Amino acid sequence: MATATMSKNAFKVEYMQPFVDSLKALFDDHLGYPLTVGKLRVKENPNPSHEISGVITFTGTVIGRAVISFPMDVAENLTKDYLKMPELPDGVVPDAVGELANIIVGRAKSALKDHKITISPPTVIRGNSYTITMQRGAACLSIPCKCKHGELVLDLSIVDNAGG
Amino acid sequence: MKVLAVDDSMTARLIVKQCFEPLGHTVLEAEDGKVALEVLASDGSIDIVVLDWNMPNMDGFTCLTEIRKNASFKDVKVIMCTTEAEKGQIVKAIKAGANGYLLKPVMPDALKEGVMKALGVSA
């Protein structure tokens, strides 16, 4: 079972909006169909919501981690739409999940203009049972979303870096 | 036209291939800046490089500066295609010799227009 550790400290909810805006813009502007964003909730369960997740860690004046999680069939269909290819080469879906996570976080980073942020290359985790473990005291907010292919979830933990 | 797509993401390189191969152009690929320099040196007839910024082994900015240092590559155009959207990064790349700058996710029409503009031809 793969594990990773989220940042500690209190979450600033206002940091969430750039990530939500970035995710919606990817669908509206690039994929060409809408994304319905559900209610933000505190994520208590450390298990990602779906089978394949793109994980990006960021450091700088804010620190944290973003996880975008999809059922495999949703990931495949989004990849086909993103590439405009009805058939996909082997191995491209995990790569596309990583690239989409990179784009979502990259655009959000640009919107957080008052902050100096470095983002990691994406990590993609697949499986039916894996856990991303938060450190004690950490808060993670989760936004369930829906597109025409099905559900996806954005989990985000982001805090000010007291030493940054 | 011969294009070199440089990105550690297979998906991003496929976007470039999907954009230009149906038009009859050749698209070569490299997964990082170091491989890109090797491909440029061995091929010798690449017209334009579509270059990501954040890559392992050699990032796009370092690759750009190496291309511009090498007289053999003086006619090769370079267009950045990246999530790095800060004005400072854009200015840094243009000052280092990039012929264009596109933000991901890039629509095919915008990619074609950006490449043609960098090459100085009508789209």
Side-chain angles (χ1 to χ4, degrees), chain A residues 88-108:
Chain A
L88 295 173
D90 289 343
V92 77
V93 174
D95 184 274
V97 167
E99 179 70 351
L100 293 176
N102 186 42
I103 287 167
I104 291 161
V105 175
R107 287 178 88 155

Side-chain angles (χ1 to χ4, degrees), chain A residues 26 29-30 82-85 89-92 95-96 99 102-103 106-107 109-110, chain B residues 7-12 14-15 18 52 54 83-86 104-108:
Chain A
L26 176 66
D29 301 343
H30 194 81
Y82 185 72
L83 288 170
K84 297 179 178 28
M85 292 173 78
D90 289 343
V92 77
D95 184 274
E99 179 70 351
N102 186 42
I103 287 167
R107 287 178 88 155
K109 170 191 156 184
S110 300
Chain B
D7 202 305
D8 55 330
S9 163
M10 180 197 331
T11 307
L14 270 172
I15 295 269
Q18 288 286 98
D52 185 26
N54 295 308
T83 58
E84 293 287 338
E86 289 85 12
K104 288 181 178 178
V106 64
M107 298 294 276

Side-chain angles (χ1 to χ4, degrees), chain B residues 75-117:
Chain B
D75 294 325
V76 176
K77 305 298 182 191
V78 180
I79 183 166
M80 304 300 294
C81 186
T82 171
T83 58
E84 293 287 338
E86 289 85 12
K87 188 178 171 188
Q89 299 289 74
I90 300 172
V91 170
K92 186 179 172 182
I94 299 297
K95 281 188 173 175
N99 303 99
Y101 201 104
L102 295 171
L103 294 177
K104 288 181 178 178
V106 64
M107 298 294 276
D109 286 345
L111 179 57
K112 278 178 215 160
E113 188 183 330
V115 163
M116 293 307 173
K117 190 176 172 186

Side-chain angles (χ1 to χ4, degrees), chain B residues 7-107:
Chain B
D7 202 305
D8 55 330
S9 163
M10 180 197 331
T11 307
R13 300 194 305 267
L14 270 172
I15 295 269
V16 180
K17 286 175 78 75
Q18 288 286 98
C19 192
F20 292 106
E21 282 182 347
L23 300 174
H25 302 302
T26 301
V27 180
L28 304 180
E29 298 178 63
E31 65 267 27
D32 61 54
K34 189 165 174 288
V35 175
L37 292 173
E38 290 165 5
V39 173
L40 277 165
S42 67
D43 186 277
S45 64
I46 288 166
D47 298 293
I48 187 161
V49 179
V50 179
L51 182 59
D52 185 26
W53 194 303
N54 295 308
M55 295 180 289
N57 297 325
M58 183 186 284
D59 67 41
F61 183 77
T62 306
C63 181
L64 169 64
T65 58
E66 291 299 313
I67 290 171
R68 288 295 172 244
K69 271 190 221 171
N70 190 327
S72 308
F73 304 148
K74 66 178 174 59
D75 294 325
V76 176
K77 305 298 182 191
V78 180
I79 183 166
M80 304 300 294
C81 186
T82 171
T83 58
E84 293 287 338
E86 289 85 12
K87 188 178 171 188
Q89 299 289 74
I90 300 172
V91 170
K92 186 179 172 182
I94 299 297
K95 281 188 173 175
N99 303 99
Y101 201 104
L102 295 171
L103 294 177
K104 288 181 178 178
V106 64
M107 298 294 276

Side-chain angles (χ1 to χ4, degrees), chain A residues 24-104:
Chain A
K24 279 183 68 67
L26 176 66
F27 279 78
D28 289 339
D29 301 343
H30 194 81
L31 294 171
Y33 47 85
L35 181 76
T36 304
V37 177
K39 273 191 180 172
L40 185 136
R41 59 178 190 242
V42 174
K43 187 174 176 70
E44 304 287 357
N45 181 340
N47 298 327
S49 307
H50 296 296
E51 300 162 80
I52 185 166
S53 296
V55 184
I56 291 193
T57 304
F58 35 92
T59 59
T61 56
V62 291
I63 52 176
R65 181 163 292 151
V67 180
I68 179 102
S69 181
F70 311 84
M72 190 56 80
D73 62 329
V74 174
E76 282 175 8
N77 285 318
L78 287 175
T79 302
K80 286 177 181 175
D81 291 344
Y82 185 72
L83 288 170
K84 297 179 178 28
M85 292 173 78
E87 299 295 328
L88 295 173
D90 289 343
V92 77
V93 174
D95 184 274
V97 167
E99 179 70 351
L100 293 176
N102 186 42
I103 287 167
I104 291 161

